[in-house]
């Protein structure tokens, strides 16, 4: 839209509610555009992006800016009609990334091929000039606790029930479990230590269910929780969630797995929780299985258990059931300014219809209702329910406060870019998933089971995946997911109907979205859209596949543990100093050590590997990254220019607090991108996260890395899953075609970058062998990185052999690159092994070795882990999974291990569990990260 043109207000803007003094731009409005509003004309002095707000009435300094009749900001100066409403944060984020969004919003040109000048962005996009105000004109509304007016409170009224409720066909379960909309076999790991196992089990059973007409699939539930040695603060929440998964009506059978009763969360704890809280577990074909033997033997045993259930699970039949058996999870992700205008009111309309049929709807995401308390409590069952809701909100605020954060950390990058300036305006729109006619009947804890029909509010973080997991555990058998940017996430055993806010975004992502709520903005009545979506809901409940189910990807993330129970240590943690990166002084090693390996020549010298890395920039693009890497490996697309493709899916980058957790995350991502084992890397963003492609482009430049060396792609901006998969595959194909063939050179210990770890009791002999390896590598000019919690660092034998009189100290922050060779000690905020291994990978190590006493460890997804042991019980129980058995003369153990390390670094052999797929990848959030 060119400037100086004239338009009627309805052509360029929309007021969410009568009486609002700012409007939402329904299209990009160029500076100089004239707008006619209620008989008068004003000029828009600055460019206003689609979804952003502009004043339609004079707002005096100090007055509130209103949307939906609720305040979201206070004017810092007089604001005239037509002026762009902007706070400090929105100006900052637009200057960071406005080019990508303008290209999409204005031209719907995700390939960025239409040239209008400007600087080139990653992935072929271009940045354009944008006339932005020099300074903000409003500040955010203060988040003051809402006070219930007891004297004037009146109980609300629920919508009346229909005389003749609708029906669908579903799987009737017994013992009060309800009715399933799907019939899945679930492989449930009780802690993150089972991630590699359940994923491998799912992979090996892929397609088995195809022979059974009434089984949807066999799916795993892998998550991040319960993997530390300490009792987690979220233990009760975790047990409640796992128990809820077990009895969800969409589960036809479930295999529950732990590691031989090890750890702080076990099968026995889940069993006890199910019994004590009277979950109807006996209605579910289930088994508790502990891993006791080798990885392969346990996989075969688990497969045998599952196969024994399949005929019985297949005997289930769909029967006609009342719509009162629907339990709908209401979710939003990647929201924009139109979420509260189109998509959220639409699912509010449909959920009202579900409640009118006797069913249940479940609203969650506590921090995304802060600022909207007045709307939520305008219709509530009784004062007790209202007070419980407010206590839940204050408890959430208190918990994040212990970690140094507020609810303002919640809005993501995609929220900001698409017009959600702050948590107040985001919450006002998010609350519209509850229709104003619908009464809040129940306030429940995270994962607490729903009972009777009605409208529920469930405590949860704003993190979409973590919130959904709680709703599924609460008994949801279907999910309504609204999105402005186009979130593509799904849950493994509950269908998700995705509702997108605008027609333009629906057209861009039509293969990944189910419902176009943008039709309402285009003129279709809400009642008509609501009726259509309700009919779709009944069809989906009866077995019609959603686009997400047809796409075949899903993921689970449970509300992650929080580390603080008070603010007592907050100041100390916030002001902790960081290591200086200088290696430790060590005693000289054996100059005659016999160690060489067949390295690959690279720009950074001899390296142990050269892989193609697909690095997701957030949790929501992780499964797509995994799919791409798997496809590339299956099609043998390396062109012999790299050894393999790797993806590193994870659960971070969005839905988490800023501050130290974000710094840890970004540093660790950059460390993997810069790891010497990576020859080519592509960053794959979802598109609406905090840590998007432009975020990392800026960080790469700060680190002195050329962004043009990397590939860039966006699930949302490149047009959805199918399009982005093709784009990434094409980028690797073209990049590899132009690359030189791999060349090999002989290298010694000075070229080795080694991560060293020890888990469990360690004999003096084993300690001395690890010390000798450390001195042999670091003393020759190589690099050894040891995490601070490794058992060797508490051993006088290791310290005396390696350091002598020199003191041990941390030399690297978690995930900090080791830029100088030698011996380094990396900070490890937790004792979660995979979080530690992820940090080690970012330091630049290319091979890891771990001495284990007990069950062998999961490996890093990219860095091979050589597992050795001298412990007699471990040798007896896990010999098939160990790479080096340290037996006989202890003086030979170091040489024995170095020989195997050379073979791994030469790519002549692959560690057993690494090859078997017992791998994982997970960032730590440190001690101050918390879900938002």
């Amino acid at each position: 839209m060119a400037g100086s043109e004239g338009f009627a207000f309805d052509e360029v803007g929309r007021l969410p509610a009568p009486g609002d003094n700012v409007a939402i731009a329904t299209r990009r409005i160029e500076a100089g555009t004239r707008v006619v509003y209620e008989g008068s004309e004003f000029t828009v002095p600055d460019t206003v992006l689609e979804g952003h707000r502009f004043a339609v009435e004079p707002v005096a300094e100090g007055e509130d800016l209103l949307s939906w009749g609720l305040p979201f900001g206070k004017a810092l100066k007089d604001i005239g009609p037509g002026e762009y409403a902007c706070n400090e944060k929105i100006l900052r984020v637009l200057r960071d990334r406005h080019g990508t969004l303008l290209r999409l919003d204005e031209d719907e040109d995700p390939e960025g091929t239409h040239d209008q000048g400007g600087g080139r962005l990653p992935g072929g996009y271009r940045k354009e000039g944008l006339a932005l105000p020099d300074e903000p004109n409003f500040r955010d509304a203060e988040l003051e606790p809402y006070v219930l007016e007891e004297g004037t409170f009146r109980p609300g009224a629920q919508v009346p029930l229909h005389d003749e409720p609708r029906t669908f066909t579903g799987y009737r379960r017994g013992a009060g479990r309800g009715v399933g909309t799907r019939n899945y076999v679930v492989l449930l790991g009780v802690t993150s230590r089972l991630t590699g196992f359940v994923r491998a089990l799912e992979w090996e059973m892929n397609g088995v269910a195809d022979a059974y007409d009434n089984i949807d699939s066999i799916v795993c539930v892998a998550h991040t929780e319960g993997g530390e040695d300490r009792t987690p603060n979220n233990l009760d929440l975790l047990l409640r969630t796992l128990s809820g998964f077990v009895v969800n009506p969409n589960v036809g059978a479930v295999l529950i797995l732990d590691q031989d009763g090890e750890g702080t969360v076990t099968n026995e704890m889940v069993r006890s929780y199910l019994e004590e809280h009277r979950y109807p577990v006996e209605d579910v074909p289930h088994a508790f299985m502990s891993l006791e033997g080798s990885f392969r033997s346990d996989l075969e045993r688990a497969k045998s258990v599952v196969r024994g259930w399949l005929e019985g699970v297949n005997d289930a039949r769909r029967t006609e059931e009342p719509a009162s058996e629907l339990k709908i999870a209401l979710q939003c992700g990647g929201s924009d300014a139109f979420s509260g205008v189109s998509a959220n009111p639409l699912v509010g309309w449909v959920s009202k219809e579900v409640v009118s049929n006797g069913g249940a709807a479940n609203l969650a995401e506590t921090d995304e209702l802060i600022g909207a308390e007045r709307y939520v409590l305008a219709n509530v069952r009784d004062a007790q329910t209202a007070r419980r809701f407010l206590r839940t909100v204050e408890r959430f605020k208190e918990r994040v406060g212990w970690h140094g954060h507020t609810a303002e950390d919640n809005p993501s990058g995609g929220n900001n870019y698409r017009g959600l300036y702050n948590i107040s305006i985001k919450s006002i729109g998010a609350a519209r998933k509850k229709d104003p006619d619908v009464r809040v009947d129940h306030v429940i804890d995270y994962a607490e089971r729903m009972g009777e029909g009605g409208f529920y509010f469930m405590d949860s973080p704003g993190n979409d995946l973590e919130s959904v997991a709680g709703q599924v555990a609460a008994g949801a058998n279907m999910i309504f997911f609204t999105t402005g940017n186009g979130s593509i996430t799904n849950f493994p055993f509950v269908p998700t109907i995705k509702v997108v806010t605008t027609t333009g975004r629906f057209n861009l992502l039509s293969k990944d979205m189910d419902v176009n709520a943008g039709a309402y903005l285009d003129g279709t009545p809400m009642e008509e859209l609501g009726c259509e979506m309700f009919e779709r809901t009944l069809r989906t409940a009866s077995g019609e596949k959603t686009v997400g189910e047809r796409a075949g990807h899903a993921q689970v993330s449970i509300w992650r543990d929080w580390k603080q129970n008070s603010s007592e240590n907050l100041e100390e943690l916030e002001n902790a100093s960081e290591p200086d990166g200088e290696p430790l002084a060590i005693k000289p090693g054996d100059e005659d050590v016999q160690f060489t390996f067949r390295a690959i020549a690279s720009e950074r010298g001899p390296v142990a590997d050269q892989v193609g890395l697909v690095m997701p920039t957030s949790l929501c693009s992780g499964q797509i990254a995994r799919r791409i890497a798997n496809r590339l490996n299956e099609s043998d697309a390396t062109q012999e220019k790299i050894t393999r493709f790797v993806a590193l899916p994870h659960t971070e980058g969005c839905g988490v607090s800023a501050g130290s957790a974000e710094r840890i995350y970004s540093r660790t991502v950059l460390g993997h991108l810069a790891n010497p084992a990576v020859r080519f890397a592509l960053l794959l963003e979802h598109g609406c996260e905090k840590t998007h492609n432009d975020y990392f482009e800026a960080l790469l430049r700060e680190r002195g890395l050329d962004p043009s060396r990397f590939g860039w792609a966006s699930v949302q901006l490149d047009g959805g899953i199918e399009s982005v998969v093709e784009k990434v595959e094409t980028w690797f194909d073209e990049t590899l075609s132009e690359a030189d063939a791999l060349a090999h050179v002989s290298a010694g210990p000075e070229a080795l970058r080694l991560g060293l770890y020890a888990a469990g009791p360690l004999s003096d002999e084993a300690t001395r062998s690890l010390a000798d390896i450390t001195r042999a590598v670091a003393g020759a000019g190589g690099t050894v990185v040891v995490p601070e919690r490794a058992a060797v660092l508490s051993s006088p034998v290791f310290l005396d052999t390696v350091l002598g009189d020199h003191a041990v100290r941390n030399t690297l922050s978690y995930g900090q690159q080791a830029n100088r060779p030698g011996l380094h000690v990396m900070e490890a905020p937790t004792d979660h092994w995979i979080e530690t291994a992820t940090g080690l990978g970012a330091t630049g190590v290319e091979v890891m070795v771990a001495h284990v006493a007990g069950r062998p460890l999961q490996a890093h997804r990219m860095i091979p882990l050589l597992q050795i042991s001298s412990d007699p019980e471990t040798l007896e129980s896990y010999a098939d999974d160990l790479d080096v058995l340290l037996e006989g003369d202890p003086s030979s153990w170091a040489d024995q291990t170095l020989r195997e390390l050379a073979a791994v670094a030469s790519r002549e052999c692959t560690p057993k569990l690494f090859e078997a797929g017992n791998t994982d990848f997970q960032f730590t959030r440190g001690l101050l990260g918390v879900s938002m």
Side-chain angles (χ1 to χ4, degrees):
M1 182 194 306
S4 77
E5 290 186 78
F7 293 90
F9 171 75
D10 290 345
E11 296 179 276
V12 297
R14 178 179 290 265
L15 281 182
D20 288 352
N21 51 18
V22 294
I24 302 173
T26 55
R27 56 192 296 184
R28 173 172 167 161
I29 307 174
E30 295 294 346
T33 299
R34 293 174 287 107
V35 177
V36 177
Y37 175 73
E38 293 188 347
S40 62
E41 182 179 282
F42 57 75
T43 300
V44 177
D46 299 294
T47 301
V48 180
L49 299 183
E50 179 189 29
H52 289 242
R53 284 166 167 79
F54 61 98
V56 293
E57 296 177 1
V59 183
E61 180 179 350
E63 287 187 355
D64 290 332
L65 281 71
L66 303 175
S67 263
W68 291 282
L70 298 174
F72 67 89
K74 195 171 289 289
L76 293 171
K77 57 185 179 181
D78 292 345
I79 303 174
E83 289 191 38
Y84 180 20
C86 52
N87 59 2
E88 182 179 358
K89 182 179 182 182
I90 209 69
L91 291 177
R92 182 176 70 251
V93 297
L94 286 178
R95 288 177 179 128
D96 285 344
R97 204 189 185 191
H98 71 266
T100 302
L101 287 179
L102 291 184
R103 170 61 55 226
L104 184 64
D105 290 344
E106 185 177 10
D107 301 308
E108 295 299 336
D109 180 22
E111 294 300 327
T113 56
H114 182 55
D115 186 0
Q116 291 189 7
R120 180 157 302 274
L121 264 176
Y125 303 107
R126 288 183 178 274
K127 280 191 176 179
E128 305 169 77
L130 176 64
L132 289 172
D134 293 330
E135 57 186 19
N137 55 18
F138 81 88
R139 62 175 173 81
D140 295 340
E142 295 182 8
L143 298 176
E144 298 179 353
Y146 180 84
V147 178
L148 185 68
E149 296 180 2
E150 301 273 357
T152 59
F153 176 83
R154 295 291 182 271
Q158 189 55 281
V159 293
L161 295 175
H162 293 320
D163 294 333
E164 296 182 10
R166 298 291 302 277
T167 62
F168 69 99
T169 59
Y171 296 98
R172 167 65 63 176
R173 310 299 187 185
R177 287 179 63 208
V179 174
T181 62
R182 297 293 184 268
N183 192 31
Y184 279 92
V185 176
V186 175
L187 315 171
L188 176 62
V190 300
T191 78
S192 58
R193 298 182 185 188
L194 277 297
T195 293
F197 184 86
V198 296
R199 287 201 184 281
L201 181 58
E202 179 190 64
W203 180 264
E204 295 202 5
M205 302 209 75
N206 182 40
V208 171
D210 294 347
Y212 300 87
D213 293 339
N214 299 313
I215 300 177
D216 287 284
S217 191
I218 301 169
V219 296
C220 76
V221 171
H223 57 88
T224 62
E225 298 311 288
E228 295 184 54
D229 291 331
R230 58 175 281 276
T231 300
N233 289 324
N234 69 345
L235 177 60
D236 187 69
L237 175 156
L238 175 57
L239 292 172
R240 189 163 62 240
T241 304
L242 297 173
S243 298
F245 286 168
V246 169
V247 301
N248 183 283
N250 285 8
V251 176
V254 56
L255 179 61
I256 308 154
L257 298 128
D258 74 358
Q259 283 194 347
D260 198 17
E262 296 177 356
T264 56
V265 184
T266 64
N267 277 351
E268 187 54 41
M269 294 170 72
V270 176
R271 188 200 312 269
S272 296
Y273 195 94
L274 286 162
E275 293 175 356
E276 290 171 11
H277 295 83
R278 299 183 180 179
Y279 283 77
V281 65
E282 294 308 319
D283 181 64
V284 191
H286 69 282
F288 291 92
M289 174 180 155
S290 292
L291 306 190
E292 298 172 347
S294 69
F295 190 74
R296 172 48 52 190
S297 65
D298 283 335
L299 278 175
E300 295 303 324
R301 188 159 56 98
K303 288 194 290 186
S304 177
V305 172
V306 173
R307 287 195 181 99
W309 285 330
L310 297 180
E311 291 291 344
V313 175
N314 192 57
D315 286 341
R317 294 291 185 273
R318 289 185 180 272
T319 55
E320 187 173 10
E321 302 291 344
S324 58
E325 294 293 347
L326 291 175
K327 289 182 167 60
I328 310 294
L330 306 177
Q331 272 294 322
C332 56
S335 299
D336 69 2
F338 301 105
S339 293
V341 179
S342 61
N344 288 344
L346 175 57
V347 302
W349 194 101
V350 180
S351 62
K352 177 174 69 173
E353 190 66 15
V354 170
V355 171
S356 294
N357 277 271
N362 182 307
L363 177 68
E365 300 181 291
T366 304
D367 49 328
E368 297 189 3
L369 294 177
I370 296 172
E373 295 92 339
R374 185 189 311 173
Y375 175 84
V376 174
L377 298 181
N379 191 2
V380 64
R381 182 174 193 166
D382 50 36
Q384 181 179 356
T385 303
R387 285 192 292 267
R388 185 170 184 188
F389 173 79
L390 294 174
R391 285 197 302 271
T392 301
V393 170
E394 290 307 308
R395 181 178 62 188
F396 191 97
K397 288 157 71 173
E398 179 184 37
R399 182 182 294 127
V400 300
W402 294 338
H403 299 77
H405 306 292
T406 72
E408 271 302 338
D409 281 356
N410 173 286
S412 71
N415 297 154
N416 296 147
Y417 309 138
R418 299 278 292 176
L420 296 181
Y421 298 166
N422 55 35
I423 188 59
S424 296
I425 206 163
K426 181 176 182 180
S427 294
I428 294 167
R432 300 289 295 183
K433 292 192 292 293
K434 186 192 85 67
D435 189 274
D437 293 339
V438 172
R439 181 183 71 183
V440 177
D441 294 308
H442 309 280
V443 175
I444 60 177
D445 287 332
Y446 182 87
E448 182 181 344
R449 293 188 75 210
M450 294 182 281
E452 62 186 2
F455 197 90
Y456 289 76
F457 167 74
M458 185 196 77
D459 183 28
S460 86
N463 182 301
D464 312 335
L465 296 180
E466 295 181 17
S467 185
V468 165
Q471 292 173 307
V472 169
N477 53 13
M478 190 177 299
I479 301 162
F480 292 167
F481 195 107
T482 68
T483 180
N485 286 274
S487 293
I488 49 86
T489 55
N490 300 283
F491 195 85
F493 57 86
V494 177
T496 300
I497 295 178
K498 295 202 186 69
V499 184
V500 71
T501 61
T502 62
T503 298
R505 193 55 61 120
F506 179 82
N507 291 338
L508 180 68
L509 301 168
S510 59
K511 295 181 180 179
D512 301 299
M513 299 290 122
D514 295 282
V515 176
N516 175 26
Y520 172 70
L521 300 174
D522 301 336
T524 303
M526 182 63 74
E527 183 174 358
E528 180 180 333
L529 285 175
C531 289
E532 291 175 359
M533 183 172 166
F534 183 67
E535 295 302 321
R536 178 188 291 269
T537 299
L538 296 177
R539 295 196 306 271
T540 301
S542 301
E544 182 177 287
K545 298 294 186 184
T546 65
V547 292
E549 289 179 294
R550 293 196 295 270
H553 73 93
Q555 60 198 110
V556 177
S557 189
I558 296 171
W559 193 342
R560 287 198 70 179
D561 188 29
W562 53 91
K563 304 304 183 185
Q564 305 304 314
N565 288 314
S566 74
S567 58
E568 181 179 354
N569 300 316
L570 179 58
E571 184 176 356
E572 178 183 350
L573 292 171
E574 287 182 325
N575 295 307
S577 60
E578 296 188 349
D580 58 14
E582 293 295 321
L584 297 175
I586 65 171
K587 296 167 71 171
D590 183 359
E591 296 181 359
D592 298 325
V593 62
Q594 299 298 309
F595 178 88
T596 59
F597 68 101
R598 186 171 182 259
I600 300 173
S602 80
E603 295 177 357
R604 291 171 281 190
V607 295
D609 208 351
Q610 289 283 262
V611 306
L613 173 63
V614 184
M615 188 74 225
T617 66
S618 73
L619 63 168
C620 294
S621 56
Q623 300 311 310
I624 308 305
R626 184 198 302 271
R627 172 187 292 190
I628 291 170
N630 287 343
R631 279 176 47 135
L632 289 168
N633 284 321
E634 289 167 4
S635 63
D636 194 25
T638 64
Q639 300 184 30
E640 299 184 353
K641 307 290 183 65
I642 54 175
T643 62
R644 57 198 164 97
F645 293 91
V646 178
L648 298 176
H650 55 83
T651 64
E652 301 308 296
C654 207
V656 63
S657 54
S660 61
E662 185 176 314
R663 290 192 296 274
I664 288 171
Y665 166 68
S666 59
R667 180 172 65 226
T668 309
V669 169
L670 291 177
H672 282 88
L673 293 172
N675 188 292
V678 176
R679 187 176 192 189
F680 300 112
L682 177 141
L683 291 88
L684 177 65
E685 70 171 14
H686 187 215
C688 56
E689 58 267 67
K690 286 184 178 181
T691 53
H692 44 70
N693 278 352
D694 285 353
Y695 174 95
F696 279 109
E697 180 202 11
L699 290 181
L700 286 169
R701 292 188 188 280
E702 288 179 14
R703 287 276 297 267
L705 298 172
D706 181 2
S708 66
R709 293 180 52 195
F710 299 89
W712 305 85
S714 174
V715 177
Q716 293 171 358
L717 301 183
D718 285 319
I721 297 171
E722 185 177 308
S723 296
V724 82
V725 169
E726 181 180 353
K727 178 176 182 176
V728 175
E729 291 179 341
T730 299
W731 182 84
F732 274 111
D733 180 66
E734 293 175 352
T735 300
L736 291 171
S737 296
E738 296 173 0
D740 294 333
L742 294 177
H744 299 91
V745 295
S746 179
E750 74 285 348
L752 192 65
R753 301 170 182 89
L754 175 68
L756 186 142
Y757 187 69
L762 200 61
S763 68
D764 287 350
E765 292 81 8
T767 303
R768 192 167 288 107
S769 68
L770 294 176
D772 290 343
I773 292 169
T774 300
R775 291 172 61 199
V777 175
T783 300
V784 178
V785 184
V786 184
E788 65 174 315
R789 294 175 183 265
V792 291
L793 293 181
S794 60
S795 166
V797 172
F798 184 88
L799 297 178
D800 181 65
T801 304
V802 176
L803 299 178
D805 296 332
H806 302 293
V808 64
R809 59 179 173 81
N810 292 340
T811 67
L812 299 173
S813 298
Y814 176 93
Q816 179 183 350
Q817 208 169 11
N819 292 319
R820 296 193 58 186
L823 173 61
H824 289 277
V825 177
M826 184 195 76
E827 288 179 340
T830 71
D831 60 20
H832 189 297
W833 158 243
I834 283 298
E835 291 184 1
T836 299
T838 299
L840 284 175
T843 66
V845 303
E846 301 170 78
V847 184
M848 299 183 195
V849 60
H851 183 283
V852 294
R855 176 167 291 279
L857 304 167
Q858 295 181 101
H860 187 289
R861 284 183 57 84
M862 186 172 81
I863 311 299
L865 172 66
L866 186 74
Q867 305 205 51
I868 67 176
S869 185
S870 61
D871 177 67
E873 293 185 9
T874 304
L875 294 174
E876 180 178 353
S877 300
Y878 304 113
D880 289 346
D881 292 335
L882 295 169
D883 302 296
V884 180
L885 309 182
L886 299 179
E887 300 175 299
D889 182 6
S891 65
S892 67
W893 291 355
D895 288 338
Q896 185 180 354
T897 303
L898 284 169
R899 283 196 299 273
E900 198 65 22
L901 274 173
V904 172
S906 301
R907 302 157 310 286
E908 294 169 357
C909 74
T910 304
K912 293 178 180 178
L913 292 183
F914 183 78
E915 185 172 32
N918 190 20
T919 61
D920 197 10
F921 182 83
Q922 182 57 50
F923 299 97
T924 185
R925 288 182 176 175
L927 301 179
L928 293 178
V930 62
S931 297
M932 300 286 286

